[in-house]
Amino acid sequence: MRRDFIRFLALGIGLASAVATAPLLAQTYPTRSVRIVVPFAAGGPADVYARFMAQRLQDALGQSFVVDNRPGAGSVIGTDTVAKSAPDGYTLRLMSNAHTVNESLIPNKPFQLMRDFVAIAPLNYSDLVLVAHPALPASTLQALIQDAKARPGKLNYASSGPGTPYHMAGELFKSMAGVYLVHIPYRGSSGARTDVIGGQVDVMFDAVTTMSEQVKAGKVKALATTGRQRSEVLPDVPTLNEAGVPGYEATIWLGLMAPRGTPRAVVDQLNGAVSRIVGQPEIRQLWGRQGAVPLVMTPEAFDKYARDDIAKWAGVIKSANIRVD
């Protein structure tokens, strides 16, 4: 009886210890610096928001979060770096919908997005704005569509490169509006933006966060924005859905992923921290003034969001027969 009681007591202590230790495993993360790989060049929206989140995650979790820019090959180089990293929560990746486009556009990558990564949390989305040089006769979306149909192949649009959100927004517009515009790809947004402002290119889809000031200064005219609702930054500009392309939507969104196999406790802890940060009213107001809207989702919801986006752009890439050399 005494021995049985001692065994029972030891078992109870062991179970209690295990139960008490389980949450502590998550609470001890992170114990050292965490790296956020941004597979895009420094200075762009992805880099800016990554650094914003890194500082706030550092404040929330008590360890440094360091941004590591690894651009190249349409985001493939930096993304592959993370795919090959240890799944321990200490190497994360900032992603955008450029990654969901690449799943169909670059099928022979050394990784697959939803096979080799686990979704953590989204950050935000930003609308795009379709802008034209002031000298272009069309001053409304309908006028642009009519002109493009009357002169197929005579109008062109700039983008920051094949497969970028700006390029895909243009291809989606062409498909849904039934028009043909010639794509003029650049090596980055700045060159494309400069040539639209200078009149060398007719139109461009660009981020509201960067082009709205040019619109307000009269350097370009805004024909429509790309979200479901009007942009808070350009409230007088109709959406494409309103202005003549029903059902159109194309945004830039950002989120965090980690290598597949990252412990669920770490994923949940990071998701909770990110969600609390982006859910703060002052963050919503700050980002709203920049044209960005916070997104809050569970890891499962974000996983579905990414998969749905992959399917959407796969259809556009197939119908437009888009290829990347």
Side-chain angles (χ1 to χ4, degrees), residues 6-268:
I6 291 173
R7 290 195 195 98
F8 177 77
L9 184 62
L11 178 62
I13 292 172
L15 288 173
S17 176
V19 170
T21 302
L24 289 177
L25 293 176
Q27 291 172 8
T28 57
Y29 170 85
T31 59
R32 53 186 171 86
S33 178
V34 178
R35 181 173 60 143
I36 302 177
V37 174
V38 178
F40 307 103
D47 177 63
V48 170
Y49 285 111
R51 294 180 187 280
F52 180 95
M53 290 303 301
Q55 181 59 56
R56 280 150 186 81
L57 285 170
Q58 178 174 313
D59 295 341
L61 298 179
Q63 292 289 340
S64 62
F65 280 69
V66 180
V67 172
D68 181 7
N69 294 93
R70 295 290 183 95
S75 80
V76 171
I77 291 175
T79 303
D80 190 44
T81 297
V82 182
K84 292 181 170 64
S85 298
D88 54 10
Y90 289 95
T91 303
L92 311 178
R93 174 175 59 87
L94 189 97
M95 69 171 296
S96 78
N97 45 325
H99 289 91
T100 55
V101 168
N102 283 349
E103 284 301 284
S104 301
L105 195 64
I106 311 176
N108 296 320
K109 305 179 304 301
F111 58 86
Q112 292 181 22
L113 190 65
M114 307 313 292
R115 180 195 69 191
D116 297 325
F117 294 91
V118 59
I120 294 175
L123 303 184
N124 60 35
Y125 75 87
S126 302
D127 293 341
L128 304 178
V129 57
L130 175 59
V131 297
H133 185 266
L136 191 74
S139 293
T140 66
L141 183 68
Q142 277 298 333
L144 177 68
I145 292 173
Q146 291 170 8
D147 190 12
K149 287 183 175 180
R151 301 187 298 138
K154 298 300 182 182
L155 297 175
N156 54 44
Y157 78 98
S159 85
S160 55
T164 61
Y166 312 104
H167 175 210
M168 300 310 298
E171 293 300 322
L172 183 63
F173 169 64
K174 288 165 57 177
S175 174
M176 295 184 69
V179 298
Y180 176 58
L181 306 178
V182 177
H183 177 220
I184 309 296
Y186 286 73
R187 291 180 177 269
S189 297
S190 59
R193 194 174 299 124
T194 297
D195 280 2
V196 171
I197 293 171
Q200 285 77 31
V201 185
D202 296 319
V203 299
M204 176 186 181
F205 284 90
D206 199 2
V208 166
T209 51
T210 53
M211 188 56 90
S212 59
E213 293 304 315
Q214 307 298 335
V215 172
K216 293 172 182 177
K219 294 183 178 180
V220 291
K221 52 187 176 184
L223 304 183
T225 54
T226 63
R228 293 180 183 178
Q229 300 176 341
R230 293 195 179 197
S231 169
E232 292 183 21
V233 177
L234 297 171
D236 296 330
V237 179
T239 66
L240 273 88
N241 178 62
E242 288 180 278
V245 187
Y248 185 98
E249 182 186 10
T251 61
I252 298 176
W253 56 263
L254 302 171
L256 286 174
M257 280 189 159
R260 178 68 61 179
T262 299
R264 180 61 197 233
V266 171
V267 171
D268 286 343

Side-chain angles (χ1 to χ4, degrees), residues 224-312:
T225 54
T226 63
R228 293 180 183 178
Q229 300 176 341
R230 293 195 179 197
S231 169
E232 292 183 21
V233 177
L234 297 171
D236 296 330
V237 179
T239 66
L240 273 88
N241 178 62
E242 288 180 278
V245 187
Y248 185 98
E249 182 186 10
T251 61
I252 298 176
W253 56 263
L254 302 171
L256 286 174
M257 280 189 159
R260 178 68 61 179
T262 299
R264 180 61 197 233
V266 171
V267 171
D268 286 343
Q269 186 174 356
L270 287 168
N271 177 274
V274 171
S275 298
R276 285 190 293 273
I277 291 167
V278 304
Q280 295 172 6
E282 56 269 29
I283 300 300
R284 181 172 294 275
Q285 292 173 7
L286 173 64
W287 285 1
R289 291 193 295 270
Q290 300 168 354
V293 179
L295 287 171
V296 176
M297 299 179 193
T298 64
E300 290 78 13
F302 184 37
D303 180 277
K304 183 179 185 303
Y305 186 84
R307 291 179 189 274
D308 288 348
D309 212 49
I310 290 171
K312 172 182 176 176

